[in-house]
Amino acid sequence: MAQEDQLKKVIGHAKEYGFVFPSSEIYDGLSAAYDYGQLGVELKNNIKAYWWAAMVRMHENIVGLDASIFMHPTTWKASGHTDAFNDPLIDNKDSKKRYRADVLIEEYIAKIDAKIAKDVKKAQKRFGDAFDKAEFLSTNGNCLRRQAEIDGINDRFKAAMEADDLVAVKALIEDLGIACPVSGSRNWTDVRQFNLMFKTELGAVSGDAGVIYLRPETAQGIFVNFLNVQKSGRMKLPFGIAQIGKAFRNEIIARQFIFRMREFEQMEMQFFVAPGDQTKWYEYWKDQRIAWHKALGLGEEKYRFHDHIKLAHYADAASDIEFDFPMGFKELEGIHSRTDFDLKAHEEHSGRKLRFYDPEREESYVPYVVETSLGLDRMFLAVLSSALREEQLEGGSERTVMCIPPALAPVKVAILPLLKKDGLPEKAREVLQLLKLNYNVQYDEKDAIGRRYRRQDAIGTPLCVTIDHDTLTDGAVTLRDRDTMEQQRVAIEDLTAAVEAKVSMATLFS
Ligand code: ATP
């Protein structure tokens, strides 16, 4: 299936079955804002629970936090967001469309890259098994010329951005002859920096004095509480603080469904370590985080690391875990070695000491920080897009099934009386009462049993329990597995254990 079609399918399915709706849809929606429906909120909560258990419950030295979205405005001065959380934007005067200047340049480069890939493919076809890609790239005249062009553009762009020279960025766009995809014209405005933070006003104070921001990341709530948590929890280094919460960024171009939104949720953990230990812990967290993802069984080949060459002002090492979304490999989670940048900056701006007294080293110092930062909505999209399948069944029929990892599935068990009579609904409700103590279960007695199975497949329910006439006499039910579609008889008294074996989150940690 073409990648774009797959994304469209996911969006359509998510809406049809109550996972994700466009925000304020009756007013034609609001761009890049989405609402999670009745099943979406369950899946989201389960992803959060899996992350929280892995970070907080499984680590004796990690604790949680829930900081407020509004923070003192100096926080963002200290973190660098007021001055440097910008994207360079440019408008086309004819179409009135706005673009990120860096994205226009990246797309131009991607076209040259595509030409190189085409040449490689052609040569591969011509030379067959004898083809050596590395040698071809380093000797073929066309490829060398194209690569040199890419390098030249990258160098010019990097130099312009580092010098904060927006005139040079515009000159680059003009020299490359980049045209607006909508109007086709090269009639561009100057490039301007656009700050991604949303501003609002606090209480009755108007004007600059009352300006505050919606937090663009949850991390700063952790940094400003570093000492509160360390002291009240008597934490010793190394230790971590984990937080799940909303973040807001006024993205210039927000698209690709819930991948890039203006209001989204982050699951972040800041791990405080002694200076000098950061590389060891950076590697540790890279390993831990990739293992957390892979345990879900979405497919090992769907993940890759992308190490950053150009680092943010606060980092000494950074890597993204990229996921193979329907739009291709894109950033899912970031792991950053943030040095002592943030705590030091907060010390300077607040005048308070944010240090840890190390009894072994007999000195106090500002800790270094390794951060893991995962977008909850991107994680949701990763699960949904890889789970949705259309399967051909024996006998020629088809089914749409969501192979959501059972521990994350919104509904764990569907309770289905075979008929709506003969005391079967009553017996089914007894089983429902039993299972709902531990699991999110759904009762369904409408339509033929086959159609009910299909409905549960489509929302990813791992198990269906069918109550039939035999149940009334032998006290057993039929348990049907979503993935294998196999059915087995299970005594009602053994049902909880059978469900637990299938859907327990504990299996993900083994
Ligand atoms: P990108 O390069 O895609 O804009 P970023 O590098 O700015 O992302 P970080 O600042 O590292 O992202 O944020 C950490 C995580 O938060 C990301 O890995 C991503 O999962 C999530 N995230 C960031 N921006 C958005 C957004 N606009 N919508 C949804 N999730 C986001």
Side-chain angles (χ1 to χ4, degrees), residues 249 251 259-261 264 266 331-334 336 373-375 378:
R249 295 181 189 178
E251 302 275 3
F259 180 83
R260 187 176 301 285
M261 297 194 286
F264 58 99
Q266 290 185 315
E331 173 176 341
L332 172 62
E333 170 160 12
H336 310 125
S373 176
L374 172 61
R378 286 191 191 176

Side-chain angles (χ1 to χ4, degrees), residues 273-281 316 339 361 365-369:
V273 304
D277 286 355
Q278 68 272 24
T279 310
K280 180 178 88 186
W281 287 110
D316 70 358
T339 70
R361 295 193 189 187
Y365 48 74
V366 178
Y368 270 51
V369 172

Side-chain angles (χ1 to χ4, degrees), residues 154-253:
N154 271 331
D155 288 348
R156 264 183 79 180
F157 180 60
K158 200 171 160 213
M161 290 306 286
E162 277 172 5
D164 221 356
D165 184 354
L166 299 179
V167 175
V169 176
K170 182 179 181 189
L172 178 58
I173 289 174
E174 285 175 337
D175 290 351
L176 296 174
I178 295 174
C180 167
V182 176
S183 67
S185 91
R186 298 179 173 79
N187 193 9
W188 296 109
T189 63
D190 288 341
V191 178
R192 282 166 298 143
Q193 287 287 22
F194 176 74
N195 193 290
L196 298 183
M197 283 198 294
F198 281 101
K199 267 186 199 171
T200 187
E201 281 179 10
L202 186 70
V205 191
S206 64
D208 279 353
V211 167
I212 57 166
Y213 301 94
L214 300 187
R215 67 180 176 199
E217 61 176 27
T218 56
Q220 298 305 324
I222 295 179
F223 289 125
V224 300
N225 278 297
F226 159 71
L227 259 199
N228 283 337
V229 174
Q230 190 269 320
K231 286 209 152 51
S232 60
R234 294 181 294 119
M235 308 300 290
K236 304 254 175 308
L237 251 52
F239 78 93
I241 304 178
Q243 172 164 232
I244 300 176
K246 291 262 183 175
F248 305 82
R249 295 181 189 178
N250 201 358
E251 302 275 3
I252 297 170
I253 306 158

